Every structure is written in C-alpha cells, then in structure tokens.
Amino acid sequence: MEDWMDETDYHIMRLLQQNARISISQISKEVSMSQPSVRERIKRLEEKGIIVGYTATYRHQALGRGTTAFFLIKTEQCQALVDFCERTPAVTDMYRISGEYNYMIKVQTASIEDIGQFQDSIIKFGPSKSLISLKNLIENRILL
C-alpha cells in the first residue's frame, strides 16, 4: 500500500473497477466527499500510475469466442513468439513464466477446431502443452 493512499482512495478505485463509467457525482455520494475532491483524488491516482486506464469487459460467448484454452510453451525464439502472439487476434493474454515452460498464452476462440489451428501454428516455436477450459469460475475479479 502506498504511504499516501488511504481507504477513500481504495474505495474510489473499487467503485471504478466495478464500473469504469460511474460518474464523479455517484462516486462522491458513495464516499461522502465533494465532487472536486473526488476528481482530484482520481487525477492523482492517474498521475501516480496507479490508475492506468479504463476498460469495458465483454462476454466472450456473445462475441463468438466462448472457447478458452491456455498454452504452455517452451521456446528459445522468445521475441518471435511474442511478435506472433501480438499479431494473433485469438491471443488475449500472454505471460512470461518460470518452470519447465517459459510462456503461458490465453486464447479465446469460437471452437475447439480453432484451438487446434492455433496449436498447429505455434509448433514452430517449440514444445507446447494445451489446457482447455471447461468452465470459467472466476473472471475479472475485483482486486481491491
């Protein structure tokens, strides 16, 4: 916890994480502060790099991307793999990890067949292991 942050800052961040479109007016009511004070706190959180952006979340099934898989990949072609994943729309997340494999990639597609095609396309980078999600139990958890 940053020394300058207090419970009100965390309350504001929780409200923004739950609904990035919440109005300053509504936040000020929730935290019992004036709108200018809330606006100033949010500005300070942005300037300090605590808040780095505002996003919308989507139901992947509604977008035709209800099939999720994770790939563990062992490669020495690190930058080539990163470049490939940046160009591949099905890749939603990529992590550098420790252990036997050095990357974990999350892929959202329309079907198992698409997962297979993705797996075929990464063979050139080295050995991989795929894990197909059967059910999403927790996603986009509120961190605060």
Side-chain angles (χ1 to χ4, degrees), residues 11-70:
H11 192 179
I12 290 169
M13 292 186 328
R14 273 191 298 277
L15 292 168
L16 287 169
Q17 193 171 22
Q18 290 167 358
N19 178 7
R21 295 184 63 181
I22 190 171
S23 68
I24 298 292
S25 169
Q26 185 60 40
I27 294 172
S28 70
K29 289 176 191 169
E30 295 276 343
V31 299
S32 301
M33 292 183 78
S34 70
Q35 290 182 32
S37 295
V38 168
R39 196 172 288 113
E40 183 57 38
R41 281 179 180 256
I42 291 172
K43 182 179 175 190
R44 182 180 56 184
L45 290 165
E46 291 170 342
E47 288 171 351
K48 295 279 188 180
I50 304 295
I51 296 175
V52 295
Y54 300 86
T55 64
T57 55
Y58 306 97
R59 277 191 30 249
H60 295 288
Q61 296 85 348
L63 297 173
R65 295 207 173 196
T67 305
T68 303
F70 298 88

Side-chain angles (χ1 to χ4, degrees), residues 8 24-25 30 49 60 65 73 81 84 91 96 110 113 121:
T8 303
I24 298 292
S25 169
E30 295 276 343
H60 295 288
R65 295 207 173 196
I73 301 176
L81 177 63
F84 171 80
V91 174
R96 180 77 162 94
E113 290 79 15
S121 70

Side-chain angles (χ1 to χ4, degrees), residues 71-77 81 97 100-105 119 122-130:
F71 288 87
L72 301 172
I73 301 176
K74 185 189 311 185
T75 187
E76 293 180 7
Q77 302 173 55
L81 177 63
I97 60 172
E100 179 182 351
Y101 296 90
N102 51 352
Y103 290 94
M104 182 172 74
I105 300 168
Q119 189 164 26
I122 61 170
I123 287 172
K124 62 187 171 196
F125 296 107
S128 69
K129 180 184 286 189
S130 63

